[in-house]
Amino acid sequence: MSQVGRLVTIVVTVLRFGLDEVALSAFPQRSVRALVRLVTLGRRLDAPRGVRLRQGLERLGPIFVKFGQVLSTRRDLIPIDVADELARLQDRVPPFPAAQARALVERAFSRPIESVFATFEAEPVASASIAQVHFAVLKDGREVAVKVLRPGMLEIIDQDLRLLHLLARWVERLSADGRRLKPREVVAEFDGYLHDELDLVREAANAAQLRRNMDGLNLVMVPEMVWELCTNGVIVMERMHGVPISQIERIRAAGVDIRKLARDGVTIFFTQVFRDGFFHADMHPGNIQVSLDPRTFGRYIALDFGIIGTLTETDKEYLAHNFIAFFRRDYKRVAELHIESGWVPPGTRVDALESAIRAVCEPHFDRPLKDISLGQVLMRLFQTSRRFNVEIQPQLVLLQKTLLNIEGLGRDLDPELDLWTSAKPFLERWMNEQIGWRGLLERLKNEAPRYAQLLPELPRLLHQALQRQARPETADATRLLLEEQRRTNRLLQGFLWLGAGFVAGVLLTRLVLLWGG
């Protein structure tokens, strides 16, 4: 019944803010326009469509806000006025009261806020769907940012996720194509990521790991956590001074090389994905800034580490092979990789899948980012995957989402950016390090301590194995005789100890009697 109630709330919100009219107005067909006039009959929808969409998503809660954040980066897919309005969802969601934030901080630390901070700004500097951030100064003078979890988030998110799980089950039951898309597994992945985001200690740990991974790259900065002030509901971190990535004119006026900034973004993304298998998966403009400090001029500043994507070595190797094959336009190898990985049925014809992939990808090579859309490429790939019964991999959903975010950022920074040319050298170098001779030598170097321990024992172990192989009956008999001998030895040892104890007792008794006499 709670799911039915939530569904009713969603429908009422859609009608109240005219979100049905916003969705249908994207279709130019006459029949659709007539339907728009019908569904809006008797309703006054005076506010602009972007404002209504933003307000409706805010009213519906965190999951819908995150959907709006992703949409805001896709100016190639949605109207500019809508994208501009949805961009406000990145860090300007209506905050909860300052008094409530103060009470949550004091409850988390079990002491008055004045005993923790020298100053604490009541007005939040940023307010998002899950938490809001306040600037403060510690007693020792360090400037920090205090992130406070919104109250009641768990109940709201659990309610929406139950509804999504229910819808996913319906899709799988009612549609063969739905089963191929694995909606239940995708929702389960999303469920895990959202619950991870509600645990701020986990977010702090993610930030610490990302900071270590990026150390030495000199392209991106990650704030340091103040661990003694980190709890599940409140975390305190180093305050970062930067300009939001969305303020491109301000960044350009400061003298930052915008084109280099765009290329650096591609390098950071592919380093996190392929070198580390641990990547920032919520890279909308509200979470990315650029440093104008002379010491770190032009570097990215990453914020908000609630959603982190991870890839196994198998995932990384498979993706790298696919990317390299794409960049070399070796569509036959791409088709073979899909079959080898089991993503398509084993009986699929390689030449047919190769031809379909070529038709999707070939028109987009040698073109700047302003002339292509990864979103459209992915949509065509999904259509192709349906034809060939390609199974969707839920563990890669976050990677696809992040790739779309990267494309949106890159398009805003440098529309002339050639994504393929920027990424190809990095991936080829990575493949050589992981799979080529350099990779083999590195793995041998890492395993050397184990080899040093095992090699001296190898002749003896080999000799024993050969003996057992040559004379299994004799080996078994020898083993039984040795076990019987060990049992006999233990029995004799027991008798000897018993006898020794008896003799010692007699001697002790005699000594006592003599001493008493």
Side-chain angles (χ1 to χ4, degrees):
M1 289 302 297
S2 63
Q3 294 168 4
V4 173
R6 178 58 174 165
L7 191 58
V8 170
T9 300
I10 292 172
V11 172
V12 169
T13 304
V14 167
L15 295 175
R16 176 183 175 186
F17 292 96
L19 303 189
D20 51 341
E21 183 269 337
V22 173
L24 292 172
S25 62
F27 298 93
Q29 293 85 352
R30 288 184 179 179
S31 57
V32 177
R33 289 203 298 269
L35 181 60
V36 170
R37 288 193 293 271
L38 179 63
V39 298
T40 57
L41 191 65
R43 285 189 287 168
R44 293 189 59 184
L45 303 174
D46 299 328
R49 58 183 179 178
V51 174
R52 287 188 281 118
L53 179 57
R54 174 181 60 78
Q55 291 175 342
L57 294 176
E58 287 175 352
R59 180 63 60 91
L60 288 172
I63 291 179
F64 295 89
V65 168
K66 290 196 171 296
F67 175 68
Q69 290 172 349
V70 174
L71 275 183
S72 70
T73 66
R74 303 316 316 275
R75 295 172 182 266
D76 57 317
L77 301 179
I78 62 175
I80 297 298
D81 62 312
V82 175
D84 288 341
E85 193 63 35
L86 291 182
R88 298 184 62 186
L89 294 174
Q90 292 162 5
D91 58 1
R92 291 192 294 275
V93 176
F96 53 90
Q100 192 173 19
R102 183 186 180 93
L104 290 170
V105 172
E106 292 183 336
R107 186 188 308 163
F109 299 143
S110 301
R111 47 183 164 155
I113 205 166
E114 291 80 10
S115 67
V116 182
F117 304 104
T119 62
F120 180 87
E121 296 182 12
E123 189 68 23
V125 67
S127 180
S129 57
I130 298 295
Q132 65 188 36
V133 178
H134 299 255
F135 285 152
V137 178
L138 294 176
K139 292 289 188 179
D140 60 9
R142 284 181 291 170
E143 293 183 326
V144 293
V146 184
K147 186 168 186 177
V148 186
L149 190 68
R150 281 182 178 271
M153 281 294 97
L154 182 60
E155 293 79 6
I156 297 171
I157 286 178
D158 280 345
Q159 193 175 42
D160 282 347
L161 285 171
R162 283 194 296 269
L163 183 59
L164 286 177
H165 280 292
L166 178 63
L167 293 174
R169 288 197 296 271
W170 285 353
V171 169
E172 284 198 358
R173 289 175 185 173
L174 299 176
S175 168
D177 193 48
R179 287 190 290 275
R180 178 183 64 84
L181 296 174
K182 299 182 179 179
R184 284 196 297 172
E185 293 185 36
V186 171
V187 172
E189 288 276 320
F190 193 45
D191 189 331
Y193 294 133
L194 279 173
H195 279 93
D196 287 350
E197 195 173 4
L198 292 175
D199 182 355
L200 295 188
V201 170
R202 185 184 292 270
E203 176 178 343
N206 290 339
Q209 180 66 55
L210 199 64
R211 180 182 171 90
R212 283 194 299 273
N213 291 349
M214 294 293 98
D215 186 33
L217 191 62
N218 295 327
L219 295 178
V220 61
M221 298 186 297
V222 177
E224 183 178 6
M225 295 292 132
V226 183
W227 281 109
E228 62 270 23
L229 296 176
C230 289
T231 69
N232 290 337
V234 178
I235 56 175
V236 178
M237 69 195 81
E238 172 190 6
R239 177 177 173 178
M240 308 300 285
H241 296 271
V243 177
I245 192 71
S246 56
Q247 299 181 16
I248 298 175
E249 292 306 319
R250 182 180 169 189
I251 295 171
R252 182 182 284 111
V256 176
D257 186 339
I258 298 296
R259 290 191 173 184
K260 180 181 181 300
L261 196 64
R263 293 193 302 272
D264 289 348
V266 175
T267 300
I268 292 167
F269 172 71
F270 281 102
T271 300
Q272 291 182 4
V273 170
F274 290 104
R275 189 193 71 182
D276 305 325
F278 189 89
F279 60 95
H280 193 307
D282 200 14
M283 297 182 68
H284 61 75
N287 290 338
I288 306 295
Q289 296 181 355
V290 178
S291 174
L292 300 183
D293 188 302
R295 296 167 297 179
T296 55
F297 188 77
R299 292 189 197 176
Y300 282 93
I301 297 173
L303 303 170
D304 195 346
F305 312 95
I307 302 180
I308 290 288
T310 57
L311 296 173
T312 64
E313 291 299 322
T314 302
D315 290 333
K316 290 193 294 182
E317 186 174 330
Y318 169 79
L319 286 169
H321 278 294
N322 263 285
F323 272 112
I324 290 294
F326 270 122
F327 294 150
R328 294 174 178 171
R329 306 189 190 188
D330 186 355
Y331 303 115
K332 181 179 180 181
R333 182 56 185 152
V334 175
E336 290 171 346
L337 286 166
H338 276 69
I339 295 172
E340 291 170 7
S341 66
W343 286 19
V344 295
T348 303
R349 287 180 52 184
V350 174
D351 59 337
L353 183 56
E354 174 192 358
S355 177
I357 295 172
R358 181 185 295 110
V360 173
C361 298
E362 190 64 27
H364 300 281
F365 277 101
D366 300 326
R367 298 169 64 186
L369 197 54
K370 68 176 182 179
D371 296 332
I372 64 174
S373 168
L374 287 179
Q376 293 174 0
V377 173
L378 285 176
M379 287 300 295
R380 290 202 60 191
L381 282 174
F382 284 146
Q383 293 169 359
T384 302
S385 69
R386 179 177 182 179
R387 173 185 164 194
F388 288 93
N389 296 315
V390 178
E391 291 191 353
I392 302 301
Q393 303 302 306
Q395 76 273 20
L396 301 183
V397 171
L398 262 189
L399 181 63
Q400 294 168 357
K401 166 186 173 293
T402 307
L403 189 58
L404 292 178
N405 280 344
I406 293 295
E407 183 201 8
L409 287 172
R411 189 186 304 277
D412 289 341
L413 289 173
D414 181 14
E416 300 296 330
L417 175 69
D418 187 337
L419 191 64
W420 319 116
T421 303
S422 301
K424 183 179 176 182
F426 176 89
L427 284 174
E428 288 180 334
R429 184 171 64 252
W430 181 86
M431 288 285 286
N432 183 50
E433 292 173 353
Q434 297 296 315
I435 301 172
W437 284 106
R438 289 176 62 185
L440 175 61
L441 292 174
E442 186 65 26
R443 284 193 291 274
L444 287 173
K445 178 181 175 182
N446 293 335
E447 293 291 335
R450 293 187 61 195
Y451 297 153
Q453 181 180 1
L454 292 174
L455 282 175
E457 301 176 6
L458 191 59
R460 176 174 54 81
L461 295 173
L462 182 62
H463 177 68
Q464 291 175 350
L466 290 173
Q467 278 189 323
R468 285 194 296 269
Q469 186 70 23
R471 299 190 303 274
E473 296 84 359
T474 305
D476 289 341
T478 302
R479 178 176 55 80
L480 292 173
L481 285 172
L482 288 173
E483 289 179 357
E484 184 65 31
Q485 185 177 356
R486 281 195 291 269
R487 283 195 295 268
T488 303
N489 289 341
R490 285 196 295 270
L491 185 62
L492 289 173
Q493 288 173 358
F495 280 124
L496 287 173
W497 281 108
L498 183 62
F502 177 75
V503 172
V506 171
L507 291 175
L508 184 61
T509 303
R510 293 292 302 273
L511 288 171
V512 170
L513 292 173
L514 288 172
W515 182 266

